[in-house]
Amino acid sequence: MLATVDRSTTLVDLPTVRRRRARAAAAPSPAAAPASPGTTADVLRIIADPRTPTYVTVFANGRRRYSYWRPIDPATGAGGCYAALPTAECDELQSSGRITLGDPVVDPNRTTYRVRTAARVPQAPARPAVAPERRRVA
């Protein structure tokens, strides 16, 4: 009989119930931490990349959520999904005029905007160009 074959008895580690920590005991949220220049630069780099369409969704209760499409990485196979961006950094970029919102797509519960980098205004050169000297003819 197959049931009588000797097998070594192994214990299986069953998953346990995860208990949530109280909100007061939880670590402070990363949104409360000040934005580091590296994080803001990474967010702006993602928004400026044309391969990653970025959107902000404004819900009926006023909550804003910035997200982008993460393309599939052929090396790791990860991606092919939406990923969230830090709201504080994106709001800071919008208030400073570095990103703009496109036309709204209105839904009963939310409004979605396309997020793009702001068009750069050409800067005046630091030193004006020197005009060539004119020589007087005598």
Side-chain angles (χ1 to χ4, degrees):
M1 293 171 121
L2 292 175
T4 59
V5 176
D6 288 333
R7 291 188 182 178
S8 62
T9 57
T10 58
L11 295 176
V12 178
D13 189 18
L14 297 174
T16 58
V17 176
R18 292 185 184 185
R19 295 196 174 129
R20 291 187 173 188
R21 295 186 296 173
R23 287 195 182 258
S29 66
S36 66
T39 305
T40 304
D42 288 340
V43 169
L44 192 58
R45 179 185 51 80
I46 290 169
I47 293 172
D49 187 0
R51 296 175 297 155
T52 57
T54 307
Y55 301 94
V56 61
T57 303
V58 182
F59 293 92
N61 63 3
R63 187 177 75 115
R64 300 166 66 96
R65 184 48 126 184
Y66 292 84
S67 59
Y68 70 99
W69 179 255
R70 182 180 290 167
I72 294 178
D73 183 13
T76 61
C81 60
Y82 279 98
L85 291 170
T87 304
E89 282 85 355
C90 293
D91 285 341
E92 182 182 321
L93 287 170
Q94 184 185 5
S95 66
S96 66
R98 298 191 66 185
I99 61 175
T100 58
L101 303 182
D103 295 331
V105 176
V106 181
D107 193 352
N109 295 323
R110 62 182 169 244
T111 304
T112 304
Y113 302 89
R114 175 76 189 260
V115 179
R116 291 190 174 95
T117 55
R120 289 187 170 217
V121 177
Q123 300 252 343
R127 280 184 8 183
V130 178
E133 277 187 37
R134 292 186 174 182
R135 294 187 181 185
R136 290 187 148 186
V137 179

